Amino acid sequence: MRFPIIAGNWKMNTTVAEAIELTGQVRKGISNGFSVEVVVCPPFISLAAVKEALKGTSIKLGAQNLYHEEKGAYTGEVSPLMIADLCEVVIVGHSERRQYFGETGEIVNRKISAALKAGLKPILCVGEQLEDNEAGQTAEVVTEQLRSSLEGISVSSDLVVAYEPIWAIGTGRAAHGKPVNETSAIIRRTLTELSNQEIAQGIRILYGGSVTAENIAEFLEQSEIDGALVGGASLKADQFISMVEQAEYIYFPNNPPTKDLIPW
Ligand code: 13P
């Protein structure tokens, strides 16, 4: 069985003080007895403070990006070794990085390779534009992104893939469970070709794009979706805790929710 992941990508939000405050609120609602893997990804500048604020919990810390070199004259960049010192997880190839910072498949490939070498668990983001979706090109786009990002890399179940259709990110217009499940099945088929059946079956595939406490169950109930990468709603502690509780309940029904945060 694949253990589900609920990850919060805080993007470029929260000062250090706000990040500590949000972490404090989140940790109050998430019991250490949960089996769901919970990850928060604050901005670089807050990583050390949030690590401290997470002490004594099983919540994992992730970074939102990394540079592929280990050290040197790369002003403004953060290396895999620095991140591995604080975090277990790193988001790689987010569509905002591809769109605003020119990250190509080749760059993403180097970053995935560097993250794995440093012992980090990368969350590799893939996803199509609206035009690709409307033209029925989702499978081709996502498959090509996976191939270029993972070319020459020995894929293991340390890898996590987040399928984030670009048109669903930050728009309030989430995709639907069934088509996301179909795309996730295509992603797993490609991962099988790039590794083998056993490894591909162990890789978690998350959905991201306008996920909230109100719609997350639709995704978590699908057989090929193993959790969510949440942006905006992860900045609201109640929403994030509710999403984790729902995941716990859906995947481990014998572990009933501790609070009345489930919307149904
Ligand atoms: P939103 O949940 O704000 O749509 O963002 C999704 C995302 O990009 C997570 O990485």
Side-chain angles (χ1 to χ4, degrees):
M1 138 166 217
R2 296 183 292 267
F3 278 70
I5 300 177
I6 304 295
N9 174 7
W10 297 0
K11 305 194 180 182
M12 198 176 71
N13 295 291
T14 68
T15 60
V16 176
E18 287 164 351
I20 294 169
E21 168 80 20
L22 178 57
T23 306
Q25 291 167 359
V26 165
R27 65 171 286 163
K28 272 193 213 138
I30 295 175
S31 141
N32 277 342
F34 279 11
S35 304
V36 172
E37 226 174 291
V38 182
V39 184
V40 292
C41 305
F44 281 137
I45 200 161
S46 296
L47 286 174
V50 171
K51 186 180 171 72
E52 191 62 31
L54 286 174
K55 267 199 179 140
T57 76
S58 53
I59 301 171
K60 294 182 174 155
L61 188 61
Q64 299 172 17
N65 180 31
L66 79 170
Y67 191 59
H68 65 270
E69 293 288 349
E70 290 186 354
K71 61 178 173 177
Y74 302 102
T75 302
E77 292 298 325
V78 180
S79 94
L81 298 182
M82 297 169 191
I83 294 168
D85 201 24
L86 296 171
C87 302
E88 287 179 60
V89 174
V90 62
I91 298 172
V92 182
H94 192 281
S95 61
E96 287 149 15
R97 296 219 52 89
R98 296 180 195 253
Q99 190 177 349
Y100 305 133
F101 303 100
E103 283 196 10
T104 58
E106 194 190 327
I107 293 172
V108 173
N109 182 287
R110 278 194 225 152
K111 290 187 173 192
I112 292 280
S113 180
L116 288 169
K117 189 171 166 217
L120 289 158
K121 293 193 167 87
I123 301 181
L124 166 62
C125 301
V126 296
E128 82 287 3
Q129 306 268 10
L130 184 60
E131 308 85 83
D132 302 322
N133 184 278
E134 287 175 348
Q137 296 292 311
T138 300
E140 284 80 352
V141 170
V142 166
T143 301
E144 151 53 28
Q145 286 172 339
L146 282 171
R147 288 192 181 284
S148 60
S149 305
L150 297 173
E151 194 189 340
I153 291 173
S154 162
V155 174
S156 77
S157 53
D158 275 347
L159 178 75
V160 176
V161 175
Y163 168 53
E164 301 202 308
I166 294 166
W167 47 270
I169 296 177
T171 57
R173 200 184 141 198
H176 288 291
K178 250 188 122 181
V180 172
N181 199 48
E182 283 162 18
T183 304
S184 300
I186 291 164
I187 290 173
R188 201 174 304 285
R189 217 174 302 142
T190 307
L191 292 170
T192 307
E193 286 163 23
L194 293 170
S195 56
N196 61 46
Q197 178 118 15
E198 196 190 333
I199 289 172
Q201 284 300 325
I203 294 177
R204 272 82 58 88
I205 301 175
L206 316 182
Y207 167 71
S210 297
V211 176
T212 65
E214 287 70 37
N215 66 17
I216 195 168
E218 176 180 346
F219 301 103
L220 299 181
E221 281 162 355
Q222 306 292 331
S223 59
E224 291 296 328
I225 305 176
D226 309 306
L229 181 55
V230 185
S234 72
L235 295 167
K236 298 181 190 118
D238 278 4
Q239 280 268 323
F240 192 64
I241 293 164
S242 171
M243 289 186 262
V244 173
E245 291 218 327
Q246 291 181 62
E248 188 71 21
Y249 188 57
I250 288 166
Y251 286 89
F252 309 98
N254 294 333
N255 216 355
T258 52
K259 285 202 187 71
D260 190 22
L261 281 167
I262 293 191
W264 62 75

